[in-house]
Amino acid sequence: LSIATTFDTLVFPLDTAAFGAPFDMDGNGRVILFFTTAVNALTPRNSGGIIGGFFFSRDLFPQVATPQVAACPTSNEGEMFYLPVVDAAQQFNQYFRSKDTLETDIIATLAHEFQHLINASRRIYVTVAEVDFEAVWLNEGMSHIAEELLYYRVARYAPKQDIGYSAAVASQSLNAINSYQVENLGRYSDYLAATDVNSPYQLNDSLATRGATWNLLRWALDQSPNPPNSYLKALVDNDKWGQPNFNQVFAGVGGV
């Protein structure tokens, strides 16, 4: 119940303000958070990383084709994403051993996966983009921006503020960094460690690419004159894909 409440009161208004509202294909006014051991099973035992959830774009397609939208027979026909369950007996791995750890670890996942859902649903049903899904590097970068926006909201800071050491390590801010921002910093560090072989535009899903794209988006948003959500919504609602989308939305920023 507390996870659903956090989604309703914090994540949903935050993501929709930044990226727009998801298209309600099933007309029920709801987003389903589906908890399943299938998510737990995705992370091998003793893994150094963790998969905290996922969004499956097939669920946005009807099981029977319409004149506008292709069919997916295995679709659940609704706005939903998938989350792990409490694994007290550590059947799958060492993660999510209690409800407290589950609640702590997946709030950022809610913001991340919900951006993917918004992005895909609007490209399919609102923009009717020629390519239904955004390029993976840009899509993931926007979801990492969603995590960062969660940090700002919980820490009660805002982009472009000069946050000094004492402010950053204050208990509320430090907890928010550890919950919602430290992974972005780690992925960006992976990029900085090998800039000669990585790029924010690479057509892959590597951690270094994600870190680079997150930083590129943060820089572009900070250099742009209008409210950040106007650019994020423009990226979501663009019928272009990948670099042409980015270049159009941030035209003139830093020589783009």
Side-chain angles (χ1 to χ4, degrees), residues 24-32 77-79:
D24 188 12
M25 69 163 295
D26 54 7
N28 65 1
R30 297 287 187 272
V31 174
I32 297 172
E77 296 188 312
E79 298 77 50

Side-chain angles (χ1 to χ4, degrees), residues 28-216:
N28 65 1
R30 297 287 187 272
V31 174
I32 297 172
L33 313 184
F34 188 76
F35 292 82
T36 170
T37 57
V39 176
N40 299 71
L42 293 174
T43 302
R45 192 176 299 277
N46 300 318
S47 172
I50 183 172
I51 297 176
F54 65 89
F55 159 70
F56 216 156
S57 57
R58 72 178 184 186
D59 290 326
L60 296 178
F61 289 89
Q63 292 183 3
V64 178
T66 70
Q68 293 77 33
V69 184
C72 178
T74 57
S75 171
N76 287 306
E77 296 188 312
E79 298 77 50
M80 63 187 298
F81 48 88
Y82 301 81
L83 300 165
V85 301
V86 173
D87 184 18
Q90 300 182 54
Q91 175 184 355
F92 297 97
N93 49 55
Q94 68 271 34
Y95 299 104
F96 307 125
R97 289 174 289 182
S98 70
K99 183 179 178 182
D100 288 341
T101 59
L102 182 69
E103 290 177 343
T104 299
D105 291 343
I106 70 166
I107 302 305
T109 302
L110 298 180
H112 182 111
E113 300 303 333
F114 190 38
Q115 188 287 135
H116 287 320
L117 191 159
I118 292 170
N119 200 313
S121 71
R122 293 190 66 84
R123 287 183 70 88
I124 296 168
Y125 291 101
V126 179
T127 308
V128 193
E130 183 176 345
V131 178
D132 286 335
F133 308 118
E134 183 54 83
V136 62
W137 62 267
L138 184 52
N139 203 345
E140 293 298 341
M142 286 194 282
S143 279
H144 293 308
I145 286 290
E147 296 176 39
E148 182 183 49
L149 294 176
L150 195 56
Y151 158 71
Y152 283 125
R153 178 64 58 85
V154 173
R156 298 178 184 174
Y157 293 134
K160 296 197 284 188
Q161 281 187 286
D162 186 5
I163 303 173
Y165 175 79
S166 59
V169 299
S171 59
Q172 180 170 294
S173 175
L174 187 59
N175 289 339
I177 288 173
N178 288 333
S179 296
Y180 311 122
Q181 183 71 320
V182 71
E183 297 296 332
N184 279 330
L185 299 175
R187 288 181 285 262
Y188 185 50
S189 179
D190 289 343
Y191 165 67
L192 292 177
T195 57
D196 56 329
V197 295
N198 289 298
S199 162
Y201 302 115
Q202 283 188 319
L203 296 177
N204 64 38
D205 196 22
S206 76
L207 297 181
T209 299
R210 289 171 179 241
T213 307
W214 160 72
N215 185 256
L216 174 65

